[in-house]
Protein backbone atom coordinates (compact mmCIF):
# COMPACT_ATOMS: atom_id res chain seq x y z
CA UNK A 1 0.00 0.00 0.00
CA UNK A 2 1.38 3.31 -1.10
CA UNK A 3 2.34 5.88 1.50
CA UNK A 4 3.25 8.40 -1.24
CA UNK A 5 1.31 9.77 -4.25
CA UNK A 6 1.09 7.25 -7.08
CA UNK A 7 3.76 7.65 -9.76
CA UNK A 8 3.89 6.38 -13.33
CA UNK A 9 6.93 4.09 -13.64
CA UNK A 10 8.10 2.63 -16.98
CA UNK A 11 9.95 -0.69 -16.91
CA UNK A 12 12.15 -1.57 -19.91
CA UNK A 13 12.44 -5.34 -20.48
CA UNK A 14 9.98 -8.15 -19.80
CA UNK A 15 12.35 -10.86 -18.55
CA UNK A 16 12.17 -12.23 -15.01
CA UNK A 17 13.71 -9.03 -13.61
CA UNK A 18 11.43 -6.63 -15.50
CA UNK A 19 8.20 -8.51 -14.76
CA UNK A 20 9.12 -8.85 -11.08
CA UNK A 21 9.97 -5.13 -10.93
CA UNK A 22 6.66 -4.21 -12.58
CA UNK A 23 4.75 -6.37 -10.12
CA UNK A 24 6.60 -5.01 -7.06
CA UNK A 25 6.07 -1.42 -8.24
CA UNK A 26 2.34 -1.95 -8.85
CA UNK A 27 1.97 -3.69 -5.47
CA UNK A 28 3.60 -0.60 -3.91
CA UNK A 29 0.68 1.42 -5.28
CA UNK A 30 2.11 2.91 -8.48
CA UNK A 31 1.07 2.75 -12.13
CA UNK A 32 3.44 0.78 -14.37
CA UNK A 33 3.98 0.54 -18.13
CA UNK A 34 6.33 -2.27 -19.13
CA UNK A 35 7.82 -2.32 -22.63
CA UNK A 36 9.46 -5.41 -24.14
CA UNK A 37 11.19 -5.48 -27.52
CA UNK A 38 10.24 -9.08 -28.45
CA UNK A 39 7.02 -9.69 -30.35
CA UNK A 40 5.74 -11.80 -27.46
CA UNK A 41 6.69 -12.41 -23.85
CA UNK A 42 8.82 -15.55 -23.49
CA UNK A 43 11.72 -17.20 -21.67
CA UNK A 44 14.14 -19.77 -23.02
CA UNK A 45 13.39 -23.50 -22.70
CA UNK A 46 15.75 -24.32 -19.85
CA UNK A 47 15.72 -24.59 -16.06
CA UNK A 48 16.50 -22.22 -13.23
CA UNK A 49 17.55 -22.88 -9.65
CA UNK A 50 15.82 -20.71 -7.09
CA UNK A 51 17.63 -20.64 -3.74
CA UNK A 52 15.67 -19.69 -0.59
CA UNK A 53 16.43 -15.99 -1.09
CA UNK A 54 14.51 -16.21 -4.39
CA UNK A 55 11.57 -18.13 -2.96
CA UNK A 56 11.35 -15.53 -0.17
CA UNK A 57 11.27 -12.80 -2.84
CA UNK A 58 8.58 -14.69 -4.79
CA UNK A 59 6.58 -14.96 -1.56
CA UNK A 60 6.90 -11.20 -1.03
CA UNK A 61 5.73 -10.66 -4.63
CA UNK A 62 2.69 -12.90 -4.01
CA UNK A 63 3.60 -15.54 -6.63
CA UNK A 64 5.33 -18.28 -4.61
CA UNK A 65 2.33 -20.60 -4.56
CA UNK A 66 1.88 -20.25 -8.35
CA UNK A 67 5.57 -21.08 -8.87
CA UNK A 68 5.44 -24.01 -6.44
CA UNK A 69 2.60 -25.47 -8.43
CA UNK A 70 5.04 -26.68 -11.11
CA UNK A 71 8.48 -26.30 -9.43
CA UNK A 72 10.36 -29.19 -7.84
CA UNK A 73 11.85 -28.94 -4.32
CA UNK A 74 14.98 -31.10 -4.73
CA UNK A 75 16.03 -33.12 -1.67
CA UNK A 76 19.78 -32.69 -2.23
CA UNK A 77 22.35 -30.51 -3.97
CA UNK A 78 25.12 -32.93 -4.98
CA UNK A 79 28.60 -32.22 -6.32
CA UNK A 80 30.07 -35.16 -8.23
CA UNK A 81 33.50 -35.62 -9.79
CA UNK A 82 32.87 -35.64 -13.54
CA UNK A 83 35.96 -37.78 -14.18
CA UNK A 84 35.69 -40.47 -11.48
CA UNK A 85 31.90 -40.40 -11.07
CA UNK A 86 32.31 -40.25 -7.28
CA UNK A 87 30.31 -38.01 -4.96
CA UNK A 88 32.43 -35.10 -3.65
CA UNK A 89 29.94 -33.48 -1.27
CA UNK A 90 26.20 -32.89 -0.89
CA UNK A 91 23.79 -30.61 0.96
CA UNK A 92 20.49 -31.84 2.35
CA UNK A 93 17.86 -29.32 1.22
CA UNK A 94 14.90 -30.73 3.13
CA UNK A 95 16.33 -31.68 6.54
CA UNK A 96 15.97 -29.90 9.88
CA UNK A 97 19.31 -28.06 9.48
CA UNK A 98 18.00 -26.51 6.26
CA UNK A 99 14.56 -25.62 7.56
CA UNK A 100 15.96 -24.22 10.83
CA UNK A 101 18.15 -21.85 8.87
CA UNK A 102 16.02 -21.03 5.81
CA UNK A 103 12.31 -20.41 6.09
CA UNK A 104 11.78 -20.79 2.33
CA UNK A 105 12.32 -23.77 0.01
CA UNK A 106 15.08 -24.39 -2.48
CA UNK A 107 13.27 -24.82 -5.80
CA UNK A 108 14.12 -25.72 -9.37
CA UNK A 109 11.77 -24.59 -12.10
CA UNK A 110 11.40 -24.30 -15.83
CA UNK A 111 12.11 -20.69 -16.78
CA UNK A 112 8.90 -20.55 -18.79
CA UNK A 113 6.89 -21.53 -15.70
CA UNK A 114 8.42 -18.82 -13.49
CA UNK A 115 8.09 -16.24 -16.26
CA UNK A 116 4.46 -17.27 -16.86
CA UNK A 117 3.63 -16.92 -13.14
CA UNK A 118 5.10 -13.40 -13.05
CA UNK A 119 3.41 -12.47 -16.34
CA UNK A 120 0.01 -13.73 -15.12
CA UNK A 121 0.35 -11.70 -11.90
CA UNK A 122 1.25 -8.57 -13.93
CA UNK A 123 -1.70 -9.17 -16.28
CA UNK A 124 -4.06 -9.54 -13.33
CA UNK A 125 -2.86 -6.34 -11.67
CA UNK A 126 -4.99 -3.39 -12.80
CA UNK A 127 -2.08 -0.93 -12.46
CA UNK A 128 0.20 -2.76 -14.93
CA UNK A 129 0.11 -2.15 -18.70
CA UNK A 130 2.24 -4.46 -20.85
CA UNK A 131 3.49 -3.76 -24.38
CA UNK A 132 5.50 -6.08 -26.62
CA UNK A 133 7.22 -5.03 -29.86
CA UNK A 134 8.61 -1.89 -28.20
CA UNK A 135 12.41 -1.56 -28.47
CA UNK A 136 13.77 1.33 -26.42
CA UNK A 137 16.50 3.22 -28.28
CA UNK A 138 17.01 6.20 -26.00
CA UNK A 139 15.87 7.77 -22.75
CA UNK A 140 15.85 11.55 -22.16
CA UNK A 141 15.31 12.81 -18.67
CA UNK A 142 14.83 16.16 -16.98
CA UNK A 143 14.00 17.00 -13.38
CA UNK A 144 10.36 15.93 -13.75
CA UNK A 145 10.37 12.74 -15.81
CA UNK A 146 11.88 10.46 -18.45
CA UNK A 147 10.91 10.16 -22.11
CA UNK A 148 11.52 6.83 -23.88
CA UNK A 149 12.04 6.58 -27.66
CA UNK A 150 11.33 3.38 -29.59
CA UNK A 151 12.87 1.80 -32.70
CA UNK A 152 9.39 0.98 -34.02
CA UNK A 153 6.89 3.59 -35.20
CA UNK A 154 5.27 3.91 -31.76
CA UNK A 155 4.85 7.28 -30.10
CA UNK A 156 7.36 7.84 -27.29
CA UNK A 157 6.44 7.19 -23.67
CA UNK A 158 6.83 9.63 -20.81
CA UNK A 159 6.96 8.39 -17.22
CA UNK A 160 7.95 9.83 -13.85
CA UNK A 161 10.87 7.38 -13.75
CA UNK A 162 12.29 4.36 -15.58
CA UNK A 163 13.57 0.97 -14.43
CA UNK A 164 16.02 -0.47 -16.97
CA UNK A 165 15.67 -4.26 -16.80
CA UNK A 166 16.93 -4.80 -20.33
CA UNK A 167 19.40 -7.55 -19.54
CA UNK A 168 23.07 -8.34 -20.08
CA UNK A 169 23.44 -6.19 -23.21
CA UNK A 170 21.35 -3.34 -21.74
CA UNK A 171 21.17 -0.39 -24.08
CA UNK A 172 20.25 1.97 -21.27
CA UNK A 173 23.22 0.85 -19.17
CA UNK A 174 25.53 1.40 -22.14
CA UNK A 175 24.30 4.98 -22.42
CA UNK A 176 24.55 5.64 -18.68
CA UNK A 177 27.47 3.68 -17.20
CA UNK A 178 30.10 3.62 -19.94
CA UNK A 179 31.97 0.49 -18.83
CA UNK A 180 32.19 -0.98 -22.32
CA UNK A 181 31.00 -4.40 -23.41
CA UNK A 182 30.25 -7.34 -21.06
CA UNK A 183 33.26 -9.54 -20.29
CA UNK A 184 33.28 -12.90 -22.10
CA UNK A 185 34.55 -15.73 -19.87
CA UNK A 186 35.50 -17.97 -22.85
CA UNK A 187 33.08 -20.52 -21.45
CA UNK A 188 29.89 -21.54 -23.26
CA UNK A 189 26.78 -23.40 -22.16
CA UNK A 190 24.60 -25.85 -24.07
CA UNK A 191 21.32 -26.29 -22.23
CA UNK A 192 17.72 -27.38 -22.42
CA UNK A 193 15.02 -29.51 -20.79
CA UNK A 194 13.84 -32.83 -22.24
CA UNK A 195 11.10 -35.29 -21.20
CA UNK A 196 12.35 -37.18 -18.14
CA UNK A 197 11.11 -40.41 -19.75
CA UNK A 198 13.96 -40.09 -22.24
CA UNK A 199 16.55 -40.51 -19.48
CA UNK A 200 17.58 -44.17 -19.33
CA UNK A 201 19.94 -46.38 -17.27
CA UNK A 202 22.17 -44.54 -14.80
CA UNK A 203 20.68 -41.21 -15.86
CA UNK A 204 17.16 -42.24 -14.96
CA UNK A 205 18.32 -43.09 -11.42
CA UNK A 206 19.73 -39.57 -11.00
CA UNK A 207 16.59 -38.06 -12.49
CA UNK A 208 14.37 -40.14 -10.19
CA UNK A 209 16.32 -38.93 -7.14
CA UNK A 210 15.12 -35.36 -7.96
CA UNK A 211 18.51 -34.06 -6.75
CA UNK A 212 20.40 -31.17 -8.32
CA UNK A 213 23.50 -32.92 -9.72
CA UNK A 214 26.63 -30.85 -10.46
CA UNK A 215 29.33 -32.89 -12.21
CA UNK A 216 32.55 -30.86 -11.79
CA UNK A 217 35.48 -31.51 -14.12
CA UNK A 218 38.56 -29.82 -15.58
CA UNK A 219 37.39 -26.61 -17.27
CA UNK A 220 33.91 -28.10 -17.70
CA UNK A 221 30.84 -29.15 -15.75
CA UNK A 222 27.39 -30.60 -16.25
CA UNK A 223 24.34 -29.61 -14.18
CA UNK A 224 21.17 -31.73 -14.12
CA UNK A 225 17.85 -31.38 -12.30
CA UNK A 226 14.15 -32.07 -12.83
CA UNK A 227 11.67 -29.29 -13.54
CA UNK A 228 7.91 -29.00 -14.16
CA UNK A 229 6.65 -31.51 -11.56
CA UNK A 230 9.49 -33.83 -12.62
CA UNK A 231 8.11 -34.23 -16.14
CA UNK A 232 11.16 -32.56 -17.71
CA UNK A 233 14.86 -32.97 -16.97
CA UNK A 234 17.10 -29.93 -17.36
CA UNK A 235 20.71 -30.38 -18.46
CA UNK A 236 23.36 -27.66 -18.79
CA UNK A 237 26.82 -28.54 -20.15
CA UNK A 238 29.42 -25.80 -19.68
CA UNK A 239 33.05 -25.72 -20.84
CA UNK A 240 35.96 -23.43 -21.62
CA UNK A 241 36.87 -23.10 -25.26
CA UNK A 242 40.50 -23.04 -26.41
CA UNK A 243 39.40 -21.37 -29.65
CA UNK A 244 37.84 -18.19 -28.27
CA UNK A 245 38.00 -15.22 -30.62
CA UNK A 246 36.18 -12.05 -29.65
CA UNK A 247 34.85 -11.21 -33.09
CA UNK A 248 33.38 -14.55 -34.18
CA UNK A 249 30.94 -17.24 -33.08
CA UNK A 250 33.25 -19.98 -34.32
CA UNK A 251 34.35 -21.11 -30.86
CA UNK A 252 32.77 -23.17 -28.12
CA UNK A 253 31.36 -25.48 -30.79
CA UNK A 254 29.62 -28.83 -30.45
CA UNK A 255 32.83 -30.56 -31.59
CA UNK A 256 34.71 -28.89 -28.70
CA UNK A 257 31.94 -29.93 -26.31
CA UNK A 258 32.45 -33.59 -27.27
CA UNK A 259 36.22 -33.20 -26.98
CA UNK A 260 36.18 -31.50 -23.56
CA UNK A 261 33.75 -34.03 -22.07
CA UNK A 262 35.48 -36.99 -23.78
CA UNK A 263 37.36 -38.15 -20.67
CA UNK A 264 34.40 -37.94 -18.28
CA UNK A 265 32.80 -40.81 -16.37
CA UNK A 266 30.12 -43.05 -17.89
CA UNK A 267 27.19 -41.21 -16.30
CA UNK A 268 28.28 -37.89 -17.81
CA UNK A 269 29.10 -39.43 -21.19
CA UNK A 270 25.66 -41.12 -21.20
CA UNK A 271 24.02 -37.76 -20.57
CA UNK A 272 25.91 -35.81 -23.22
CA UNK A 273 23.97 -36.92 -26.33
CA UNK A 274 20.79 -35.69 -24.62
CA UNK A 275 22.15 -32.21 -23.88
CA UNK A 276 20.29 -29.74 -26.11
CA UNK A 277 22.40 -28.49 -29.04
CA UNK A 278 19.87 -26.00 -30.44
CA UNK A 279 21.90 -23.00 -29.45
CA UNK A 280 25.20 -22.22 -27.70
CA UNK A 281 25.34 -19.56 -24.97
CA UNK A 282 28.64 -17.73 -24.49
CA UNK A 283 28.88 -16.78 -20.81
CA UNK A 284 29.48 -13.16 -19.86
CA UNK A 285 29.59 -11.03 -16.76
CA UNK A 286 30.88 -7.62 -15.70
CA UNK A 287 32.85 -6.25 -12.79
CA UNK A 288 30.53 -4.65 -10.22
CA UNK A 289 29.80 -0.92 -10.53
CA UNK A 290 28.30 1.50 -8.02
CA UNK A 291 26.36 3.59 -10.53
CA UNK A 292 23.00 1.81 -10.70
CA UNK A 293 21.02 5.05 -10.49
CA UNK A 294 21.13 8.02 -12.87
CA UNK A 295 18.58 10.55 -11.67
CA UNK A 296 15.21 9.05 -12.57
CA UNK A 297 16.61 5.92 -14.26
CA UNK A 298 17.62 2.84 -12.24
CA UNK A 299 19.22 -0.38 -13.46
CA UNK A 300 17.88 -3.76 -12.28
CA UNK A 301 18.71 -7.46 -12.81
CA UNK A 302 21.38 -8.36 -15.37
CA UNK A 303 21.42 -4.75 -16.58
CA UNK A 304 22.76 -3.76 -13.13
CA UNK A 305 24.85 -6.77 -12.08
CA UNK A 306 25.39 -9.41 -14.78
CA UNK A 307 27.13 -12.39 -13.19
CA UNK A 308 28.44 -15.80 -14.18
CA UNK A 309 25.91 -18.51 -13.34
CA UNK A 310 28.13 -20.59 -11.03
CA UNK A 311 26.25 -19.63 -7.85
CA UNK A 312 22.92 -19.87 -9.73
CA UNK A 313 21.98 -16.41 -8.51
CA UNK A 314 21.41 -14.07 -11.50
CA UNK A 315 17.63 -14.37 -11.51
CA UNK A 316 17.52 -14.73 -7.70
CA UNK A 317 19.30 -11.39 -7.41
CA UNK A 318 16.93 -9.79 -9.94
CA UNK A 319 14.01 -10.94 -7.75
CA UNK A 320 15.68 -9.48 -4.67
CA UNK A 321 16.15 -6.23 -6.63
CA UNK A 322 12.44 -6.14 -7.44
CA UNK A 323 11.41 -6.56 -3.80
CA UNK A 324 13.83 -3.84 -2.65
CA UNK A 325 12.62 -1.52 -5.43
CA UNK A 326 8.97 -2.01 -4.45
CA UNK A 327 9.74 -1.40 -0.80
CA UNK A 328 11.63 1.85 -1.60
CA UNK A 329 8.93 3.09 -4.00
CA UNK A 330 6.32 2.47 -1.31
CA UNK A 331 8.24 4.65 1.14
CA UNK A 332 9.86 7.56 -0.76
CA UNK A 333 7.78 10.26 -2.45
CA UNK A 334 10.52 11.25 -4.89
CA UNK A 335 11.39 8.48 -7.41
CA UNK A 336 15.05 9.51 -7.48
CA UNK A 337 15.20 9.12 -3.67
CA UNK A 338 13.45 5.74 -3.93
CA UNK A 339 15.97 4.59 -6.55
CA UNK A 340 18.87 5.70 -4.36
CA UNK A 341 17.40 3.80 -1.38
CA UNK A 342 16.89 0.71 -3.57
CA UNK A 343 20.46 0.76 -4.88
CA UNK A 344 21.92 1.44 -1.41
CA UNK A 345 20.16 -1.66 -0.09
CA UNK A 346 21.18 -3.91 -2.98
CA UNK A 347 24.53 -2.79 -4.42
CA UNK A 348 27.07 -4.32 -2.01
CA UNK A 349 25.31 -7.67 -1.78
CA UNK A 350 24.90 -8.06 -5.55
CA UNK A 351 28.56 -7.07 -6.06
CA UNK A 352 29.74 -9.66 -3.55
CA UNK A 353 27.75 -12.38 -5.30
CA UNK A 354 29.01 -11.24 -8.73
CA UNK A 355 32.61 -11.50 -7.51
CA UNK A 356 32.13 -14.81 -5.75
CA UNK A 357 30.38 -16.37 -8.75
CA UNK A 358 33.64 -16.04 -10.68
CA UNK A 359 35.57 -17.68 -7.81
CA UNK A 360 33.11 -20.51 -7.48
CA UNK A 361 33.46 -21.21 -11.22
CA UNK A 362 37.23 -21.48 -10.77
CA UNK A 363 36.81 -23.98 -7.92
CA UNK A 364 34.32 -26.02 -9.93
CA UNK A 365 36.65 -26.18 -12.96
CA UNK A 366 39.92 -27.09 -11.18
CA UNK A 367 42.11 -29.76 -12.74
CA UNK A 368 44.84 -32.13 -11.54
CA UNK A 369 46.17 -31.55 -8.01
CA UNK A 370 43.83 -28.58 -7.53
CA UNK A 371 40.81 -30.82 -8.12
CA UNK A 372 42.19 -33.52 -5.81
CA UNK A 373 42.69 -30.99 -3.00
CA UNK A 374 39.22 -29.51 -3.56
CA UNK A 375 37.64 -32.95 -3.35
CA UNK A 376 39.54 -33.77 -0.14
CA UNK A 377 38.55 -30.49 1.52
CA UNK A 378 34.90 -30.75 0.50
CA UNK A 379 34.66 -34.42 1.50
CA UNK A 380 34.99 -33.44 5.16
CA UNK A 381 31.79 -31.39 5.01
CA UNK A 382 28.50 -32.90 6.04
CA UNK A 383 25.08 -32.51 4.39
CA UNK A 384 24.19 -29.75 6.88
CA UNK A 385 27.27 -27.56 6.21
CA UNK A 386 25.43 -24.41 5.18
CA UNK A 387 27.84 -21.92 6.79
CA UNK A 388 29.67 -21.02 3.56
CA UNK A 389 26.59 -20.64 1.36
CA UNK A 390 24.21 -19.20 3.92
CA UNK A 391 25.12 -15.54 3.19
CA UNK A 392 24.27 -16.07 -0.49
CA UNK A 393 20.90 -17.62 0.32
CA UNK A 394 19.93 -14.97 2.92
CA UNK A 395 18.99 -11.48 1.68
CA UNK A 396 19.69 -8.33 3.65
CA UNK A 397 16.67 -7.43 5.82
CA UNK A 398 14.40 -4.58 4.77
CA UNK A 399 15.24 -1.26 6.44
CA UNK A 400 13.22 -0.53 9.59
CA UNK A 401 10.89 2.43 8.86
CA UNK A 402 11.59 5.57 10.89
CA UNK A 403 9.06 5.96 13.76
P1 LIG B 1 16.85 -10.83 -19.30
O1 LIG B 1 16.28 -12.16 -18.99
O2 LIG B 1 17.98 -10.78 -20.27
O3 LIG B 1 15.65 -9.91 -19.81
C1 LIG B 1 15.87 -8.70 -20.48
C2 LIG B 1 14.64 -8.42 -21.31
O4 LIG B 1 14.76 -7.11 -21.86
C3 LIG B 1 14.48 -9.37 -22.48
O5 LIG B 1 13.16 -9.85 -22.51
C4 LIG B 1 14.82 -8.52 -23.69
O6 LIG B 1 14.14 -8.91 -24.86
C5 LIG B 1 14.38 -7.14 -23.22
N1 LIG B 1 15.09 -6.03 -23.86
C6 LIG B 1 16.42 -5.93 -24.12
N2 LIG B 1 16.70 -4.76 -24.69
C7 LIG B 1 15.53 -4.09 -24.80
C8 LIG B 1 15.20 -2.80 -25.31
N3 LIG B 1 16.13 -1.98 -25.84
N4 LIG B 1 13.90 -2.41 -25.28
C9 LIG B 1 12.94 -3.23 -24.74
N5 LIG B 1 13.22 -4.47 -24.24
C10 LIG B 1 14.50 -4.88 -24.27
N6 LIG B 1 20.05 -17.44 -12.43
C11 LIG B 1 19.51 -18.02 -11.33
O7 LIG B 1 19.00 -17.32 -10.44
N7 LIG B 1 19.52 -19.39 -11.16
C12 LIG B 1 20.07 -20.21 -12.11
O8 LIG B 1 20.05 -21.44 -11.95
C13 LIG B 1 20.64 -19.63 -13.28
N8 LIG B 1 21.20 -20.41 -14.23
C14 LIG B 1 21.74 -19.83 -15.34
C15 LIG B 1 22.34 -20.65 -16.30
C16 LIG B 1 22.91 -20.09 -17.44
C17 LIG B 1 23.59 -20.99 -18.44
C18 LIG B 1 22.85 -18.68 -17.63
C19 LIG B 1 23.45 -18.04 -18.85
C20 LIG B 1 22.26 -17.86 -16.67
C21 LIG B 1 21.71 -18.42 -15.52
N9 LIG B 1 21.10 -17.62 -14.54
C22 LIG B 1 20.60 -18.20 -13.41
C23 LIG B 1 21.05 -16.15 -14.68
C24 LIG B 1 19.66 -15.67 -15.13
O9 LIG B 1 19.28 -16.35 -16.30
C25 LIG B 1 19.69 -14.17 -15.41
O10 LIG B 1 20.38 -13.50 -14.40
C26 LIG B 1 18.27 -13.60 -15.49
O11 LIG B 1 17.52 -14.31 -16.44
C27 LIG B 1 18.32 -12.11 -15.84
O12 LIG B 1 17.01 -11.61 -15.98
P2 LIG B 1 16.78 -10.12 -16.49
O13 LIG B 1 15.30 -9.94 -16.52
O14 LIG B 1 17.62 -9.18 -15.73
O15 LIG B 1 17.37 -10.10 -17.98
Amino acid sequence: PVTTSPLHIAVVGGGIGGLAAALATARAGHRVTLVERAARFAEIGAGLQLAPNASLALDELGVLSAVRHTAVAPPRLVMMDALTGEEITALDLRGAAYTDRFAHPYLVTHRTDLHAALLAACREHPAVTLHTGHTVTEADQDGSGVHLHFAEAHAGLTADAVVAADGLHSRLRRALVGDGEPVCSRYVAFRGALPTARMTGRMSQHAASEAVMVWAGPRMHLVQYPVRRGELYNQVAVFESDRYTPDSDDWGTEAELEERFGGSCDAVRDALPLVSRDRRWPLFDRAPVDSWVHGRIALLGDAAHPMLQYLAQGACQALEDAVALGEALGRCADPADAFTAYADRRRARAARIQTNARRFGEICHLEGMGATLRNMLLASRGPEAFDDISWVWTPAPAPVPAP
Side-chain angles (χ1 to χ4, degrees):
V2 76
T3 53
T4 61
S5 326
L7 298 163
H8 176 211
I9 306 290
V11 175
V12 181
I16 291 162
L19 289 174
L23 187 57
T25 303
R27 285 166 64 93
H30 302 291
R31 188 162 68 84
V32 183
T33 305
L34 181 147
V35 288
E36 162 59 46
R37 72 176 166 195
R40 61 181 192 89
F41 288 104
E43 249 293 347
I44 58 159
L48 200 61
Q49 299 184 57
L50 297 171
N53 56 316
S55 33
L56 167 63
L58 292 170
D59 202 6
E60 289 173 318
L61 293 169
V63 290
L64 180 61
S65 61
V67 173
R68 287 208 72 163
H69 198 57
T70 51
V72 174
R76 297 169 81 220
L77 178 53
V78 187
M79 190 176 196
M80 305 286 286
D81 188 309
L83 299 187
T84 65
E86 280 167 16
E87 185 171 312
I88 301 170
T89 187
L91 286 173
D92 177 357
L93 300 175
R94 290 198 200 146
Y98 178 91
T99 46
D100 284 352
R101 214 185 260 242
F102 307 105
H104 285 77
Y106 196 106
L107 299 174
V108 285
T109 181
H110 198 283
R111 283 167 180 265
T112 310
D113 298 344
L114 170 61
H115 191 265
L118 290 167
L119 185 59
C122 283
R123 284 194 167 129
E124 277 162 23
H125 202 295
V128 180
T129 304
L130 301 167
H131 294 299
T132 52
H134 281 61
T135 309
V136 171
T137 53
E138 253 180 275
D140 303 323
Q141 63 173 312
D142 58 26
S144 64
V146 186
H147 187 73
L148 295 175
H149 302 262
F150 300 107
E152 300 81 2
H154 312 297
L157 173 72
T158 301
D160 294 312
V162 165
V163 177
D166 50 345
L168 171 70
H169 297 284
S170 167
R171 189 181 284 238
L172 290 177
R173 177 184 171 124
R174 200 183 314 146
L176 295 167
V177 179
D179 61 346
E181 293 301 313
V183 180
C184 184
S185 66
R186 300 167 186 244
Y187 276 77
V188 285
F190 285 83
R191 58 177 166 169
L194 73 158
T196 307
R198 287 188 59 202
M199 309 303 289
T200 55
R202 270 179 295 260
M203 293 182 297
S204 65
Q205 285 164 24
H206 293 305
S209 79
E210 296 204 327
V212 176
M213 306 293 296
V214 181
W215 302 83
R219 299 200 288 147
M220 54 81 152
H221 75 267
L222 172 73
V223 180
Q224 302 174 303
Y225 52 84
V227 293
R228 197 168 291 162
R229 294 177 287 258
E231 292 156 20
L232 298 176
Y233 201 54
N234 183 63
Q235 300 202 103
V236 190
V238 172
F239 66 98
E240 186 175 24
S241 169
D242 289 328
R243 302 192 189 127
Y244 169 74
T245 44
D247 303 321
S248 102
D249 284 340
D250 193 22
W251 61 274
T253 59
E254 263 190 82
E256 279 182 84
L257 169 76
E258 300 293 348
E259 204 180 304
R260 177 75 71 223
F261 281 80
S264 41
C265 66
D266 291 346
V268 172
R269 284 219 312 277
D270 284 357
L272 214 56
L274 292 175
V275 170
S276 172
R277 313 292 171 97
D278 298 349
R279 182 173 160 186
R280 72 187 241 302
W281 302 83
L283 298 170
F284 296 89
D285 72 351
R286 286 181 183 276
V289 291
D290 284 342
S291 45
W292 289 20
V293 176
H294 303 261
R296 288 177 174 243
I297 304 177
L299 306 177
L300 181 141
D302 275 7
H305 45 65
M307 57 185 71
L308 295 175
Q309 80 287 6
Y310 304 123
L311 286 172
Q313 276 288 320
C316 301
Q317 290 303 301
L319 293 169
E320 280 192 33
D321 288 347
V323 169
L325 178 76
E327 184 277 327
L329 281 166
R331 184 162 50 87
C332 305
D334 183 315
D337 291 345
F339 284 175
T340 301
Y342 145 73
D344 285 351
R345 179 168 160 199
R346 293 285 307 129
R347 202 186 285 113
R349 173 166 161 76
R352 190 173 170 207
I353 294 179
Q354 251 176 311
T355 310
N356 277 276
R358 282 189 184 178
R359 277 193 211 136
F360 192 74
E362 285 162 18
I363 292 168
C364 187
H365 298 138
L366 284 169
E367 33 194 338
M369 186 54 77
T372 308
L373 284 172
R374 172 199 65 202
N375 293 0
M376 278 169 55
L377 285 170
L378 291 179
S380 63
R381 296 151 57 103
E384 301 180 343
F386 292 108
D387 283 351
D388 289 336
I389 196 69
S390 164
W391 70 270
V392 177
W393 293 357
T394 311
V400 180

